[in-house]
Amino acid sequence: MSSLLDFSNLERFQLWLADFPYDRQQVAIATSASIFAYISFKAVDTFFIKPYLSPLRDLPGPEKLDSYLLGHLPRIFKAPAGVIHEEWAAQYGPTFQYRGIALSRRFCTLDPKALNHILNHSDDYPKPPGSRAALVQILGNGVLVAEGDEHRRQRKIMNPCFGIAQIRELMPIFYAKSFQLRDMWLNSISEESGEAEVDALQGLSRTTLDIIGLAGFNYDFNALVEGETNELAKAFSELLTPTTSPTERGRITRKSMAVTDRVGRKLVEEKKAALLQEKNDEASLQQKNVAGRDLLSVLIKANTTPGLKSSEKMTDEEMMGQITTMLLAGHETTSSSTMWLLYDLAKPENKAVQDRLRDELSMLASEEPSMEELNALPYLDAVIKEDLRVNAVVSAVIREAARDDVIPLSTPMIDRNGVTRNEVRIGKGDSVFLSITAMNRDKTIWGEDAEVFNPERWFKPETHPRSAEFPGVFSGIMTFIGGPRHCIGYRFALLEMKVLVYALVRNMSYSLPNPAHVIEKRSTIVSRPVITLADGTKKSYMPLIVKAVGRGD
């Protein structure tokens, strides 16, 4: 019966084709015209109608375009991270708009009340689809990429990994690797000159890679000894290396993700088997060794909590997403932050800061101070805060309005028509750009010396009372963002940085080479230093001169 119906339908279709009044050429012309009309409409809609009808059109901001395709983005790309947004904020006020790709309007604000609204309504301001798709290709569907209920589910399971008690358990790893780097630098010091030039970028990057490997999933990269020869370390390094060719970028991404997927699956399966053995054999809990304390083990334990519904659990793919997320967040960001701190301490104008910090660190008798002992050092705390404020290694975040909304302002804004506004209307699909660098250096918040590395400001809170208005999860600075999507591992990062500084500054002094290199800040995923070599080529490198304390420094 089915075959007869199919035959009947085919016969009717053939009769319909026979009576069709247009030939192939006419159909082709009509189809081409329709496609052209659609593309033309979309172009007009994108470049003219949407920007003109956007509720952001009356906000102050730059007018002269750099490009009819990229709007004002070329000047932003050419300048150091955050500089152009700081200039615009000084010229137009803390709330303004500018043009992005296809002349779309971008909303930018440094206003604390507006920031609180945007960051605390994260479902209304998710990552743009394009940004999220690009991150998924690199990181998988981990907590950094997930949105809405999916993000809340993953974060709930991950919270035990980053509690204070759990982080305290990982301190022996922090110390072991920090001391290993310290000893390598000390051993490189020449007996003749009493000093050595080290690449702080490479040394700290390898140290934090080793730390997150062991602390994150009990995986030994051994990068401090062997470099990036480990297949997972190499794959991740290549994944983050910028390229000019989209084809090459795609090839590297596929190759690197294949390695990450294979190794990640093996790690997850090994952890599951080890935890199952623990349940079946109480003797395996014996020493509570590192294998049971790493973040991935804790995560798998949390994911198998009795009473947890299947719909609330993470899949293996999401688990692997957390591995790449931990590698990115626990490796590049901490190493870069600590590197910029050592660079600032090495500047001649900050010698007194370095000496005072070393004096405070030397007051501790213990070779491996506890978390409480490190947190009780006020000057170390001030130095870390100031570094994270001045040298935010992730310079900005971008969001997209998921619906029409009204954003409140603490500082009234005068629009292009001369009307004073206490709020801003934003349309669904409009981009929201939050410059962390500009927020952390806002002179109306931090004072006229906002761009200067000055730990003393943290002993004078009256000089920056408005910083408390910012929604930052840590001390009013926006480096770890704020709201329900704030950096889940910020306590881990803070303690890791304090251990690194304790190990590296207590017994060594730092200065800049003479003559000093011109250091450029270049942002890829994080801000990295770039120097120009004698032949004109550029290299990611942070040269510092180290001396053992007591050798004529």
Side-chain angles (χ1 to χ4, degrees), residues 42-85:
K42 292 297 291 184
V44 171
D45 183 53
T46 299
F47 282 87
F48 299 103
I49 298 176
K50 282 185 177 178
Y52 179 77
L53 295 179
S54 170
L56 301 175
R57 65 186 181 277
D58 291 330
L59 267 63
E63 302 222 11
K64 185 178 179 181
L65 298 173
D66 301 330
S67 162
Y68 285 106
L69 178 62
L70 300 176
H72 297 106
L73 296 182
R75 76 178 78 174
I76 294 173
F77 294 154
K78 290 177 183 176
V83 168
I84 299 299
H85 296 92

XYZ file of all heavy atoms in Angstrom, residues 42-85:
350
model
N 19.570 42.206 4.467
C 20.321 41.962 5.700
C 21.437 42.979 5.873
O 21.718 43.444 6.989
C 20.910 40.543 5.703
C 19.881 39.436 5.800
C 19.102 39.489 7.107
C 19.929 39.148 8.311
N 19.130 39.109 9.554
N 22.089 43.342 4.749
C 23.161 44.338 4.827
C 22.617 45.694 5.250
O 23.186 46.366 6.120
C 23.864 44.441 3.468
N 21.511 46.095 4.635
C 20.892 47.380 4.999
C 20.418 47.347 6.445
O 20.606 48.308 7.214
C 19.713 47.697 4.045
C 18.929 48.908 4.549
C 20.222 47.951 2.637
N 19.816 46.206 6.838
C 19.323 46.070 8.210
C 20.472 46.133 9.221
O 20.385 46.813 10.241
C 18.580 44.734 8.341
C 17.975 44.550 9.725
O 17.232 45.444 10.173
O 18.245 43.510 10.351
N 21.574 45.432 8.893
C 22.715 45.365 9.817
C 23.453 46.690 9.906
O 23.772 47.166 11.003
C 23.687 44.257 9.376
O 23.004 43.004 9.395
C 24.896 44.179 10.299
N 23.757 47.304 8.753
C 24.604 48.493 8.728
C 23.835 49.791 8.977
O 24.441 50.774 9.418
C 25.326 48.589 7.382
C 26.516 47.675 7.267
C 26.354 46.370 6.834
C 27.781 48.106 7.618
C 27.444 45.518 6.728
C 28.878 47.260 7.520
C 28.705 45.966 7.070
N 22.539 49.814 8.695
C 21.820 51.084 8.782
C 20.613 51.047 9.723
O 20.500 51.863 10.630
C 21.365 51.522 7.372
C 22.506 51.746 6.432
C 22.817 50.795 5.465
C 23.299 52.885 6.511
C 23.886 50.983 4.594
C 24.369 53.083 5.647
C 24.659 52.128 4.689
N 19.697 50.078 9.493
C 18.439 50.100 10.246
C 18.663 49.838 11.731
O 18.240 50.618 12.590
C 17.436 49.081 9.647
C 17.093 49.464 8.205
C 16.172 49.035 10.511
C 16.191 48.472 7.505
N 19.352 48.706 12.065
C 19.546 48.369 13.480
C 20.346 49.424 14.232
O 19.947 49.848 15.324
C 20.201 46.990 13.605
C 19.225 45.840 13.396
C 19.880 44.495 13.658
C 18.858 43.360 13.516
N 19.474 42.021 13.708
N 21.498 49.886 13.691
C 22.226 50.936 14.410
C 21.408 52.221 14.583
O 21.499 52.882 15.612
C 23.463 51.186 13.536
C 23.648 49.908 12.783
C 22.267 49.405 12.534
N 20.585 52.544 13.556
C 19.796 53.775 13.646
C 18.667 53.640 14.662
O 18.358 54.586 15.392
C 19.217 54.116 12.271
C 18.368 55.372 12.297
C 18.962 56.631 12.333
C 16.970 55.286 12.302
C 18.187 57.784 12.382
C 16.189 56.429 12.344
C 16.799 57.684 12.384
O 16.020 58.817 12.436
N 18.058 52.464 14.724
C 16.935 52.264 15.629
C 17.370 51.856 17.040
O 16.546 51.833 17.958
C 15.989 51.189 15.071
C 15.277 51.528 13.758
C 14.412 50.357 13.325
C 14.439 52.797 13.901
N 18.647 51.528 17.225
C 19.117 51.094 18.537
C 18.880 52.170 19.589
O 19.143 53.352 19.355
C 20.618 50.767 18.486
O 21.123 50.562 19.796
N 18.382 51.784 20.765
C 18.196 52.773 21.833
C 19.516 53.372 22.323
O 19.502 54.366 23.059
C 17.511 51.966 22.946
C 17.803 50.536 22.645
C 17.920 50.442 21.169
N 20.641 52.801 21.906
C 21.946 53.338 22.298
C 22.389 54.506 21.423
O 23.412 55.139 21.711
C 23.018 52.237 22.216
C 22.807 50.984 23.069
C 23.903 49.970 22.767
C 22.797 51.343 24.551
N 21.635 54.813 20.366
C 22.101 55.781 19.374
C 22.318 57.182 19.945
O 23.123 57.958 19.414
C 21.114 55.852 18.206
C 19.736 56.380 18.573
C 18.768 56.291 17.387
N 17.446 56.805 17.707
C 16.502 56.117 18.316
N 16.737 54.847 18.658
N 15.332 56.649 18.573
N 21.619 57.523 21.026
C 21.745 58.876 21.582
C 22.794 58.985 22.685
O 22.995 60.061 23.248
C 20.387 59.350 22.129
C 19.362 59.593 21.023
O 19.786 59.960 19.910
O 18.158 59.396 21.267
N 23.459 57.879 23.007
C 24.499 57.943 24.027
C 25.719 58.670 23.482
O 25.993 58.618 22.272
C 24.907 56.527 24.468
C 24.183 55.942 25.692
C 22.709 55.791 25.420
C 24.807 54.593 26.068
N 26.466 59.357 24.344
C 27.691 60.010 23.873
C 28.715 58.971 23.452
O 28.641 57.800 23.859
C 28.170 60.785 25.110
C 27.574 60.055 26.272
C 26.247 59.539 25.789
N 29.669 59.398 22.648
C 30.708 58.481 22.196
C 31.401 59.010 20.966
O 30.990 60.039 20.396
N 32.451 58.344 20.515
C 33.206 58.803 19.339
C 32.348 58.732 18.081
O 31.510 57.843 17.946
C 34.378 57.824 19.275
C 33.877 56.585 19.948
C 32.969 57.067 21.038
N 32.577 59.667 17.172
C 31.773 59.708 15.954
C 32.546 59.252 14.726
O 32.059 58.458 13.944
C 31.243 61.134 15.739
C 30.412 61.634 16.906
C 29.176 62.388 16.452
O 28.863 62.353 15.260
O 28.535 63.005 17.304
N 33.760 59.766 14.521
C 34.523 59.437 13.325
C 34.890 57.962 13.325
O 35.520 57.450 14.241
C 35.787 60.282 13.254
C 36.568 60.073 11.970
C 37.803 60.959 11.914
C 38.582 60.712 10.629
N 39.811 61.549 10.573
N 34.495 57.261 12.255
C 34.745 55.823 12.153
C 36.158 55.550 11.652
O 36.706 56.307 10.857
C 33.739 55.179 11.202
C 32.259 55.255 11.595
C 31.393 54.727 10.456
C 31.997 54.462 12.859
N 36.734 54.454 12.122
C 38.019 53.991 11.594
C 37.814 53.109 10.372
O 38.700 52.980 9.527
C 38.767 53.183 12.660
C 39.036 53.987 13.915
O 39.196 55.212 13.803
O 39.077 53.395 14.999
N 36.651 52.455 10.309
C 36.360 51.516 9.224
C 34.850 51.383 9.099
O 34.138 51.378 10.100
C 36.988 50.152 9.526
O 36.414 49.125 8.738
N 34.366 51.278 7.840
C 32.932 51.083 7.641
C 32.519 49.635 7.897
O 31.328 49.328 7.928
C 32.539 51.496 6.222
C 32.510 52.994 6.042
C 33.518 53.636 5.331
C 31.502 53.759 6.623
C 33.512 55.016 5.181
C 31.490 55.148 6.482
C 32.502 55.763 5.768
O 32.501 57.134 5.650
N 33.483 48.759 8.081
C 33.178 47.369 8.407
C 33.394 47.099 9.896
O 32.595 46.415 10.531
C 34.052 46.420 7.584
C 33.867 44.923 7.848
C 32.437 44.496 7.496
C 34.886 44.101 7.064
N 34.468 47.672 10.484
C 34.839 47.393 11.869
C 34.590 48.562 12.816
O 34.948 48.484 13.985
C 36.323 46.991 11.931
C 36.711 45.749 11.126
C 38.214 45.520 11.198
C 35.960 44.524 11.642
N 33.993 49.623 12.330
C 33.659 50.738 13.213
C 34.887 51.347 13.868
O 35.829 51.789 13.199
N 34.897 51.360 15.219
C 36.011 51.938 15.967
C 36.994 50.881 16.461
O 37.934 51.203 17.212
C 35.471 52.714 17.180
C 34.608 53.878 16.819
N 33.234 53.870 16.970
C 34.913 55.092 16.291
C 32.733 55.022 16.572
N 33.726 55.791 16.156
N 36.807 49.620 16.059
C 37.647 48.538 16.577
C 39.123 48.652 16.181
O 39.996 48.286 16.982
C 37.092 47.183 16.138
C 35.706 46.811 16.682
C 35.313 45.419 16.209
C 35.668 46.882 18.204
N 39.465 49.140 14.959
C 40.892 49.199 14.608
C 41.746 49.964 15.609
O 42.841 49.521 15.954
C 40.879 49.881 13.233
C 39.575 49.451 12.634
C 38.606 49.466 13.794
N 41.262 51.108 16.103
C 42.084 51.870 17.055
C 42.199 51.141 18.403
O 43.204 51.258 19.092
C 41.532 53.283 17.244
C 40.306 53.410 18.102
C 39.856 54.852 18.265
N 39.142 55.312 17.080
C 38.531 56.500 16.988
N 38.586 57.345 18.007
N 37.885 56.840 15.900
N 41.149 50.385 18.761
C 41.198 49.608 20.008
C 42.231 48.499 19.885
O 43.016 48.251 20.811
C 39.809 49.019 20.330
C 38.822 50.148 20.637
C 39.879 48.048 21.504
C 37.387 49.685 20.807
N 42.258 47.814 18.722
C 43.192 46.713 18.510
C 44.645 47.186 18.488
O 45.552 46.460 18.909
C 42.877 45.988 17.201
C 41.550 45.283 17.197
C 40.859 45.053 16.008
C 40.979 44.843 18.381
C 39.639 44.401 15.998
C 39.753 44.188 18.380
C 39.080 43.973 17.196
N 44.878 48.400 17.985
C 46.250 48.913 17.863
C 46.826 49.364 19.206
O 48.042 49.343 19.393
C 46.276 50.089 16.884
C 46.036 49.693 15.434
C 46.002 50.923 14.531
C 45.684 50.543 13.097
N 45.560 51.739 12.222
N 45.975 49.780 20.135
C 46.430 50.331 21.411
C 46.547 49.237 22.472
O 45.946 48.170 22.342
C 45.462 51.415 21.883
N 47.322 49.484 23.539
C 47.345 48.532 24.662
C 45.948 48.345 25.240
O 45.090 49.236 25.135
C 48.278 49.212 25.672
C 49.142 50.112 24.851
C 48.257 50.602 23.736
N 45.710 47.190 25.848
C 44.381 46.848 26.359
C 43.857 47.918 27.308
O 44.543 48.328 28.242
C 44.432 45.503 27.064
N 42.637 48.369 27.065
C 41.953 49.280 27.973
C 42.246 50.752 27.764
O 41.502 51.613 28.256
N 43.307 51.085 27.029
C 43.725 52.488 26.913
C 42.665 53.337 26.213
O 42.323 54.432 26.678
C 45.078 52.584 26.173
C 45.374 54.031 25.783
C 46.195 52.039 27.048
N 42.147 52.859 25.090
C 41.158 53.644 24.341
C 39.880 53.826 25.156
O 39.287 54.908 25.187
C 40.840 52.971 22.988
C 42.107 52.878 22.141
C 39.743 53.733 22.256
C 42.734 54.217 21.816
N 39.453 52.787 25.860
C 38.242 52.900 26.682
C 38.456 53.884 27.836
O 37.526 54.619 28.214
C 37.846 51.522 27.221
C 37.469 50.546 26.147
N 38.379 49.701 25.572
C 36.278 50.302 25.515
C 37.777 48.970 24.642
N 36.511 49.312 24.591
